[in-house]
Amino acid sequence: MNQTSNRSAGLHQGVVYALLAAALFGASTPFAKSLLDHVEPVVLAGLLYMGSGLGLLMLYLARRFARSGDAEAGLTRKDLPWLGGAIAAGGVAGPVLLMLGLASTPASSASLLLNMEGVLTSMLAWFVFKENFDRRIFIGMLLIVLAGVLLSWDQAAARGLPLGALAIIGACLCWGIDNNLTRKVSASDAVQIACVKGLVAGSVNLVIAFTLGASLPAASTAITAGLIGFCGYGLSLVMFVLALRHLGTARTGAYFSAAPFVGAALSLLMLGEQPALMFWLAAALMAAGIWLHLTESHEHEHEHEPLGHNHTHSHDAHHQHNHEFEWDGSEPHTHPHHHAPLKHSHKHYPDIHHQHKH
């Protein structure tokens, strides 16, 4: 495969990872909503993340036992502050706010409101972490924001102050912070990252719940919540971290905006909800915003500065380095490596190798 094909495959792979993450997370929303009649919101948040962490721990151990050859690059000490901040924002505050919001918000509307995660993720990436964007991407995000406003306004007319909607938007802000901080460690093992986040976040949420006097639900409900968490939080986060490597934070967040449509469709099928006209108008606006992102093309001459890091890679145009060990030619592989200065032009996203200014 030539270098152009390798680059194109990497971009497409990132899109697939992001859409898989979206589908898994989106599907978890109506399933989690269905459990709120049997378990308190904070307890459910803890069980979802604990299920994620325990499931991924078993996957991680099984992979280490069975793997032959190079493993993913593990987390290092310098990754811990970024990961700790991500866990606090996205693993503790985010799910609690989501569960509180779901308790008073129709699941179909809640699912679409979750599109705000992509918007807030992108805003933080652009204006705080200085990731590049253009007019097309910005207009797409404006459409998604407008859709979220319409949903909140619809709730306000029906119920007064939309506290449930505000709680869900607050959860999205927490996850936006989480996503941008996770981007800093996305070159490391995605399963290990998601496992640690799940175990820590699950433990903290359960401790908070028990401190407030809550109790565990029936075993069948706890197991169901754990399975939902493993798929909708654990495997979804693994896919999301892998997408971050290829697409950057804002673009991954944009593709991830497909998640609420999965959740909304399942909500309508599972829970028999009858959405109003405002719901469909919001859905159309969000679909248009996502389409603008999906059809983006970004290509120009750019320069790579010297860079040293460790991640799984193949020897494409960005990885033309020598090895300080005997190499049998197998790819992909993992080892610390150095990138020499390079100037070229090709289609790209702001992935872990394209952090240049425009």
Side-chain angles (χ1 to χ4, degrees):
M1 183 181 292
N2 60 38
Q3 293 177 352
T4 300
S5 298
N6 276 329
R7 288 193 294 269
S8 179
L11 294 176
H12 294 158
Q13 190 176 41
V15 171
V16 171
Y17 285 141
L19 293 177
L20 284 174
L24 288 167
F25 181 71
S28 73
T29 301
F31 284 103
K33 170 79 172 179
S34 69
L35 294 180
L36 283 172
D37 291 336
H38 309 285
V39 56
E40 297 180 41
V42 180
V43 176
L44 180 55
L47 291 174
L48 290 169
Y49 266 99
M50 187 59 72
S52 164
L54 291 175
L56 291 176
L57 178 61
M58 290 188 286
L59 179 62
Y60 178 77
L61 294 175
R63 190 189 64 183
R64 283 182 64 89
F65 179 78
R67 184 184 293 276
S68 59
D70 293 290
E72 290 269 344
L75 291 164
T76 63
R77 185 182 298 274
K78 69 179 183 179
D79 295 329
L80 297 183
W82 299 113
L83 185 59
I87 292 172
V92 178
V96 171
L97 287 171
L98 176 62
M99 294 305 108
L100 292 174
L102 285 177
S104 59
T105 305
S108 55
S109 293
S111 294
L112 286 181
L113 277 170
L114 288 172
N115 254 320
M116 295 301 294
E117 178 184 348
V119 175
L120 295 171
T121 293
S122 297
M123 293 298 179
L124 290 169
W126 296 337
F127 299 112
V128 177
F129 293 89
K130 306 303 181 182
E131 194 171 287
N132 73 78
F133 68 99
D134 57 22
R135 184 173 59 182
R136 183 186 189 88
I137 293 296
F138 183 72
I139 291 174
M141 279 302 177
L142 284 180
L143 293 177
I144 295 173
V145 170
L146 179 57
V149 170
L150 288 178
L151 287 176
S152 298
W153 185 270
D154 193 34
Q155 280 199 56
R159 296 185 175 89
L161 183 65
L163 294 179
L166 292 177
I168 293 172
I169 292 172
C172 291
L173 175 59
C174 291
W175 284 324
I177 296 171
D178 175 4
N179 294 337
N180 278 277
L181 296 181
T182 300
R183 164 67 186 278
K184 298 290 187 178
V185 300
S186 62
S188 299
D189 186 348
V191 173
Q192 186 181 24
I193 292 169
C195 176
V196 172
K197 290 178 74 172
L199 291 175
V200 174
S203 299
V204 171
N205 278 296
L206 288 176
V207 168
I208 293 173
F210 297 150
T211 301
L212 296 174
S215 58
L216 286 173
S220 60
T221 301
I223 292 172
T224 300
L227 291 174
I228 294 172
F230 173 63
C231 296
Y233 286 60
L235 295 179
S236 175
L237 180 56
V238 171
M239 296 296 106
F240 192 91
V241 173
L242 293 174
L244 286 174
R245 295 182 187 175
H246 297 285
L247 305 177
T249 311
R251 271 74 172 177
T252 299
Y255 284 101
F256 193 74
S257 295
F261 291 99
V262 177
L266 286 175
S267 297
L268 299 177
L269 292 174
M270 290 172 50
L271 306 178
E273 295 180 353
Q274 298 296 323
L277 177 61
M278 195 73 76
F279 170 89
W280 296 113
L281 178 58
L285 288 170
M286 287 186 175
I290 292 172
W291 177 81
L292 287 172
H293 284 270
L294 290 174
T295 53
E296 177 203 11
S297 181
H298 183 76
E299 181 173 355
H300 62 90
E301 186 175 66
H302 55 276
E303 187 171 356
H304 295 268
E305 297 180 354
L307 172 67
H309 59 181
N310 184 15
H311 65 93
T312 301
H313 62 278
S314 298
H315 283 196
D316 56 17
H318 299 97
H319 294 92
Q320 297 299 312
H321 50 257
N322 296 321
H323 293 82
E324 299 178 356
F325 55 89
E326 187 174 346
W327 176 46
D328 61 5
S330 62
E331 292 184 334
H333 56 231
T334 304
H335 62 90
H337 54 278
H338 181 76
H339 294 266
L342 175 66
K343 188 174 184 179
H344 60 181
S345 176
H346 62 87
K347 183 179 178 181
H348 62 281
Y349 291 140
D351 58 21
I352 59 175
H353 297 107
H354 294 90
Q355 297 297 298
H356 51 263
K357 296 180 180 180
H358 289 73

